Amino acid sequence: MPYKAAMPELPEVETVRRGLLPALAGQQIRKVLVRRSDLRIPVPADFARRLEGRRVTGIGRRGKYLLASCDGGLTLVIHLGMSGRLTIHGPDSAGARPGRFAHPAPLPGPHDHIELLTGPGARIVFSDHRRFGLMTLAEEASLPQHPLFKQMGPEPLGPDFTPALLAARLRGKDTPLKAALLDQHVVAGLGNIYVCEALFRAGLSPERRAGSLRGKSTVRLAEAIKTVLEEAIEAGGSTLRDYAKADGSLGYFQNEFRVYARAGEECSSPGCGATIKRVVQSNRSSFHCPRCQR
DNA sequence: CTTGGGTCCTGTGCGC
DNA sequence: TGCGCACAGGACCCAA
């Protein structure tokens, strides 16, 4: 099965965050265009009015969500869903750096739903042909209580994410490990690709009951999750320097997948020799090595 | 409470 | 060459 496009999971979102920083942080949002408001969560009717004139003070990330802090305590919340893209355009004249910005500015495409204008010709375009993504606003002070974040699990790259914490999150769960790790309430930011890859690196079967992990397995899993995410961010960062779009889709980490989309290929583990299998769990493909992963 | 399945959306790639 | 359909999947929603 050929690899198609990068799905925005934590590493891709982090790559987008870093790519967006120089174009948006410190800038004033002068004008907001909402061409379509029927995203996963409807864009609020007062979205443009509340955002226009604010200065972006920083860009953070929580799980797969981007959080653009604006002055006045307002936060622009962005989720890329499956197919969301943020493209940086302009500016028109001074400062345009070929290869860094997409230019000249094309006419808006049918899936360019929201534009943030930051200067003459300078803008950030949010496009999402499947409209699984969203853009909305929230008061920064109330973000922890926001429905999107209130129940969200720990950041896997945060200092709190220890094997003990992971063990506590998985304890008592009767679901397969695959489903448990896809659940954003257990750990934030993992999607199908990195769950597959982390489970391979940890030597754990995606069909293993989540509550059955003990000591060393939990340690291996927590370390595998951190390692695979860090490696993917590193790969994304290395390509971001060279390409125009802050969409996280041009990373080379796809070449590093050891099981994802590799059904039928030989396991890359030295001396294993088994064939990578694809099984369907929760209507999602799970790729794994039946010999290395128990 | 937990768990699992359906659903949304549209571009891509395959078989016939 | 064109048509129809399976597939990709993040996260919400609801039923059991």
Side-chain angles (χ1 to χ4, degrees), chain A residues 24 29-39 41-54 56 66-68 70 74-79 86 113-117 124-126 133-139 146 148:
Chain A
L24 190 56
I29 299 174
R30 297 165 191 273
K31 179 77 181 166
V32 176
L33 303 176
V34 179
R35 296 204 173 82
R36 276 196 83 143
S37 58
D38 55 339
L39 308 183
I41 293 177
V43 179
D46 58 358
F47 180 83
R49 181 182 63 74
R50 291 180 71 191
L51 209 46
E52 282 170 356
R54 304 218 186 221
V56 177
L66 287 169
L67 304 169
C70 303
L74 193 68
T75 298
L76 170 62
V77 180
I78 305 170
H79 194 287
L86 290 169
H113 305 315
I114 296 178
E115 294 194 17
L116 310 176
L117 283 72
I124 314 292
V125 178
F126 174 75
L134 67 87
M135 268 202 189
T136 193
L137 299 174
E139 292 297 332
H146 193 282
L148 290 172

Side-chain angles (χ1 to χ4, degrees), chain A residues 168-230:
Chain A
R169 291 259 153 188
L170 296 177
R171 193 168 297 139
K173 292 195 84 66
D174 199 31
T175 56
L177 266 180
K178 175 67 183 297
L181 295 178
L182 281 176
D183 185 346
Q184 303 299 295
H185 302 131
V186 173
V187 182
L190 298 177
N192 202 38
I193 292 173
Y194 293 106
V195 169
C196 289
E197 294 297 315
L199 287 172
F200 175 78
R201 283 162 172 76
L204 292 166
S205 167
E207 298 181 298
R208 174 95 173 254
R209 296 292 109 177
S212 74
L213 293 200
R214 296 292 175 264
K216 280 189 178 177
S217 296
T218 320
V219 173
R220 285 209 314 269
L221 182 55
E223 287 177 351
I225 289 170
K226 286 190 189 188
T227 302
V228 74
L229 294 177
E230 284 167 354

Side-chain angles (χ1 to χ4, degrees), chain A residues 6-7 48 52 57-58 63 80 136 151-152 160 198 217 234 244 254:
Chain A
M7 324 299 169
E52 282 170 356
T57 55
L80 299 175
T136 193
Q151 308 281 347
M152 190 175 284
D160 306 339
S217 296
E234 178 67 25
Q254 58 185 274

